[in-house]
Amino acid sequence: MSSATRTETARTRYVIIGMGNRCEMYINAISGPHADVAELVALADTNPGRVQYYQDQVASDSGQRPASFDPAALTQFIRSEAIDRVIITSPDFTHADYIVESLTAGADVIVEKPLTVSAEASARIAKTVRETGREVIVTFNYRYSPRNTALKAAIQDGTIGDVTSVDFTWVLDTVHGADYFRRWHRIKENSGGLLIHKASHHFDLVNWWIHDVPQRVYASGGLRFYGAESAAKRGITASERGTREGSEADPFALDLRSDERLQGLYLNNEHHDGYRRDQDVFSEGITIEDNLALVVDYSRGAILNYSLNAHSPWEGYRVAVNGTEGRLELEVIERAAVLPAAGGSPVDPSVSDDAQSNQLRAKGERLLLQRHWEEAREVEIINGEGAHGGGDRLLLADIFRGAGEDPYERPAGLVDGIQAIAVGICGNESLATGTAIRVGDLNLGLEAAAHV
């Protein structure tokens, strides 16, 4: 198919690269509510079994079976099939190559966070965007969550004056948090560690909330709970993997046979590439951190104090924003407790409903405003239907139908994607050197991106 045969009313043609958990949101969006404006042409992954899994799913749901292609033939496929946009949901370390190749071949890109994992790759992406004039959209769905938008609105409305500092604590529990130590994320070269893979979401929120950019980062942290060395100190012996006899007695084991989807997507396709989705969280080879703390200086004077823990007994986050006229506090409890079970569900509790609540800690959210010389009052959070309080639905609408006027500027582009990973990249450098790292001292491509 050549671009000359396209009509003005033709649907936008998409391919998706990366057939892991995250691609399903986009597949369902294209096949469902946005089918009138979007067409899913093909799927690609280095593992053909996972491609077939989603081909079968789409065919079952819609009656139409998307094509497939080898990711190594990306340029040829984009050009021969007149692909408009490439959605990238592959492992983080592959993002840059796929982005650059897609742009050069003539397609725009939608990429899951993080944009990439290194300064060199970030600069390469920015250079290619500038040279090709094509677009890169980074999908920061947390911006669209109503509670986070409510905090943004309160800051933007000037309720606490000028922001002076932010305290941000994020805790991942022993189900969801542990899952990063089973998969490809456990190797830092693959994911950039939690400072990039997970926390780029959080740093983007801060950048967006206070409408500012990070300048200097100091980080401290390490692998304190997961991994072979930490486990040995506590007398824990690792198993080869979670899918094994007796796994039900191990609360950290993920037995892929216990979940039909995980078995069909991963266990049944190991023979193609040897990838194991269920590695033991206390085994050798983990090179990412599970406890992290940062201090970040912002260009207009605000300070961010950030911490991340990946082995908490509950999951959620607490944010306090201090200003010249008061303070805002957001508390979110996504899972109130993890009770013993064979690995639980590795699904992010923010999109599931398996929280264990009692009077002391219950799943929920609350945003408080307290101005100087006044009592605290609660700020209303209005949720919609669907995942992340309806936030995913809003994000997908912006992606597939185009973003309209948004007073909160939620759609994120290339500069936002770079600023989000800037903190994590500097943080990793700080961990390695023991010194504070200035964002401006690293070539992230920000200057090129700013002139796109």
Side-chain angles (χ1 to χ4, degrees):
M1 175 179 180
S2 70
S3 58
T5 65
R6 302 286 301 280
T7 68
E8 291 184 2
T9 58
R11 294 179 295 170
T12 302
R13 292 170 62 79
Y14 290 84
V15 297
I16 303 177
I17 296 180
M19 298 292 103
N21 281 320
R22 195 59 182 166
C23 74
E24 188 167 11
M25 178 179 79
Y26 299 99
I27 290 173
N28 292 341
I30 296 173
S31 302
H34 303 291
D36 60 322
V37 296
E39 178 184 359
L40 181 56
V41 178
L43 306 174
D45 194 281
T46 54
N47 186 305
R50 289 199 290 272
V51 173
Q52 183 176 342
Y53 177 91
Y54 281 112
Q55 284 179 308
D56 293 344
Q57 179 177 297
V58 174
S60 175
D61 292 343
S62 68
Q64 298 182 347
R65 188 179 186 86
S68 65
F69 67 95
D70 187 334
L74 175 60
T75 294
Q76 178 184 351
F77 196 87
I78 289 173
R79 291 175 174 169
S80 65
E81 298 299 322
I83 300 304
D84 298 302
R85 293 172 120 187
V86 176
I87 299 174
I88 299 172
T89 57
S90 56
D92 304 345
F93 71 96
T94 68
H95 286 185
D97 287 343
Y98 287 142
I99 291 170
V100 168
E101 185 174 359
S102 298
L103 297 172
T104 304
D108 293 325
V109 169
I110 297 162
V111 60
E112 269 291 307
K113 65 82 193 164
L115 175 69
T116 187
V117 298
S118 71
E120 178 277 327
S122 177
R124 185 156 53 97
I125 291 168
K127 179 175 181 288
T128 307
V129 169
R130 188 171 184 179
E131 291 174 346
T132 62
R134 306 217 68 90
E135 182 181 28
V136 173
I137 295 172
V138 186
T139 54
F140 288 116
N141 61 335
Y142 280 3
R143 291 186 177 198
Y144 290 81
S145 180
R147 59 201 179 210
N148 297 327
T149 303
L151 178 55
K152 167 71 172 178
I155 297 171
Q156 188 169 289
D157 290 345
T159 58
I160 59 169
D162 297 328
V163 174
T164 60
S165 65
V166 180
D167 292 311
F168 195 165
T169 299
W170 199 291
V171 291
L172 296 163
D173 64 32
T174 49
V175 172
H176 184 210
D179 207 42
Y180 295 105
F181 298 83
R182 299 184 182 111
R183 301 176 285 165
W184 55 265
H185 310 72
R186 73 203 316 250
I187 299 173
K188 201 162 192 177
E189 288 75 10
N190 290 344
S191 64
L194 292 179
L195 278 184
I196 293 179
H197 176 80
K198 183 62 179 175
S200 62
H201 255 327
H202 313 156
F203 302 140
D204 175 70
L205 281 177
V206 176
N207 298 346
W208 173 66
W209 277 330
I210 69 175
H211 195 61
D212 204 351
V213 295
Q215 283 199 322
R216 187 178 67 167
V217 181
Y218 176 78
S220 182
L223 186 62
R224 305 285 189 254
F225 183 81
Y226 300 108
E229 183 177 346
S230 298
K233 293 177 181 178
R234 304 195 303 277
I236 297 173
T237 302
S239 298
E240 184 178 354
R241 62 184 307 178
T243 304
R244 67 182 193 277
E245 295 306 313
S247 64
E248 63 277 1
D250 181 358
F252 284 98
L254 175 63
D255 192 326
L256 297 174
R257 298 169 300 182
S258 67
D259 185 293
E260 183 178 347
R261 183 173 181 276
L262 292 177
Q263 179 170 342
L265 190 56
Y266 294 105
L267 185 62
N268 294 349
N269 293 309
E270 286 181 0
H271 63 282
H272 290 293
D273 56 12
Y275 174 62
R276 290 187 173 183
R277 172 67 176 77
D278 62 342
Q279 297 176 77
D280 195 297
V281 299
F282 299 117
S283 61
E284 298 281 355
I286 297 174
T287 57
I288 65 172
E289 301 83 12
D290 54 25
N291 280 257
L292 290 155
L294 286 84
V295 176
V296 183
D297 296 331
Y298 276 79
S299 66
R300 295 204 302 269
I303 302 167
L304 167 65
N305 294 300
Y306 173 84
S307 67
L308 174 67
N309 178 281
H311 55 89
S312 170
W314 65 278
E315 179 149 331
Y317 59 101
R318 291 172 173 149
V319 184
V321 185
N322 299 298
T324 55
E325 298 178 21
R327 176 180 170 100
L328 285 156
E329 298 174 356
L330 175 63
E331 179 176 73
V332 178
I333 297 174
E334 295 178 336
R335 181 154 43 213
V338 175
L339 303 184
S345 168
V347 175
D348 182 340
S350 66
V351 295
S352 64
D353 192 26
D354 58 352
Q356 300 290 335
S357 299
N358 63 21
Q359 290 182 335
L360 297 179
R361 179 169 285 126
K363 182 173 183 175
E365 58 192 13
R366 186 174 70 169
L367 176 59
L368 295 181
L369 165 65
Q370 187 164 8
R371 290 173 50 81
H372 291 159
W373 329 121
E374 296 179 8
E375 295 181 339
R377 64 180 178 87
E378 187 167 356
V379 178
E380 184 179 16
I381 299 171
I382 302 175
N383 284 295
E385 295 182 2
H388 295 107
D392 285 1
R393 178 177 54 81
L394 297 174
L395 167 69
L396 292 168
D398 274 358
I399 289 173
F400 293 110
R401 297 184 180 276
E405 292 295 322
D406 184 348
Y408 307 118
E409 299 180 332
R410 284 171 291 193
L414 178 61
V415 172
D416 300 307
I418 295 175
Q419 295 287 14
I421 61 172
V423 180
I425 291 173
C426 289
N428 282 334
E429 183 71 14
S430 180
L431 288 172
T433 63
T435 62
I437 305 297
R438 297 189 65 84
V439 174
D441 290 343
L442 301 181
N443 178 19
L444 296 162
L446 279 166
E447 183 176 350
H451 290 87
V452 171

